[in-house]
Amino acid sequence: MKSDLILIANSRVARLFTRASADEPLVPLATLEQPDAHLKPSDAGGDRPGHGSSDTRPGGVAFEPKLDPQRKADLKFAHVVASRLDEALAGGDCGRLVLFASNPFLGELKSALSEAATKHTSSSINLDLTSFGLDEIERRVASALAATHAPGPGA
């Protein structure tokens, strides 16, 4: 039987666990931390936001939507986490992927997932569990998954 791959994340830290079955304990696999977690705008970069040349004509300028440095770092971290999920799924030992992440990081992460990771994703739950210990994470994961997979009214 293939194990579950469970991600507990926010825009600062991501903790990856495996679990052989629903009644087995979570086994820590990896912890990723965003190195640029608390950048000040003055520390983050020298680019002028919104300016870039995408035109070959003289004087052509395109204006990109302004992203603050912290948002850029969060998007970059989402791609790092998605890459790590791909590595974990590449072995073929995982049956399903369950995502627990805070909003808006959950959306950023889901946008960064590969097609293979998206196919393995069985649940994505807007819930930040990163500040809890392993025992509390196990309890809350079980509770959230039971609520997510419970039959609806009249079933």
Side-chain angles (χ1 to χ4, degrees):
M1 183 168 142
K2 295 186 176 193
S3 61
D4 293 341
L5 191 59
I6 299 170
L7 178 74
I8 308 294
N10 62 24
S11 62
R12 309 289 185 251
V13 65
R15 297 170 68 186
L16 192 57
F17 300 91
T18 60
R19 181 172 67 177
S21 67
D23 55 341
E24 294 288 323
L26 294 174
V27 177
L29 187 61
T31 298
L32 305 169
E33 293 184 17
Q34 184 187 142
D36 302 329
H38 297 289
L39 284 179
K40 293 185 228 170
S42 60
D43 296 339
D47 291 354
R48 291 186 309 163
H51 287 264
S53 179
S54 64
D55 203 343
T56 56
R57 296 177 293 170
V61 175
F63 292 97
E64 297 292 325
K66 184 177 179 179
L67 284 179
D68 70 3
Q70 187 60 57
R71 176 107 164 98
K72 285 182 184 179
D74 293 351
L75 291 170
K76 181 179 175 184
F77 186 58
H79 285 279
V80 168
V81 172
S83 256
R84 182 60 180 95
L85 290 172
D86 283 339
E87 289 173 17
L89 291 168
D93 296 333
C94 296
R96 69 178 182 161
L97 173 61
V98 180
L99 307 173
F100 289 89
S102 61
N103 194 23
F105 188 70
L106 180 60
E108 294 165 351
L109 179 61
K110 287 170 67 174
S111 295
L113 291 177
S114 67
E115 187 177 326
T118 300
K119 285 181 182 178
H120 278 87
T121 303
S122 68
S123 297
S124 55
I125 300 166
N126 178 14
L127 187 61
D128 187 355
L129 300 174
T130 58
S131 63
F132 297 108
L134 187 56
D135 290 339
E136 186 65 14
I137 288 174
E138 284 190 25
R139 189 181 71 73
R140 291 183 183 229
V141 164
S143 175
L145 289 177
T148 303
H149 293 45

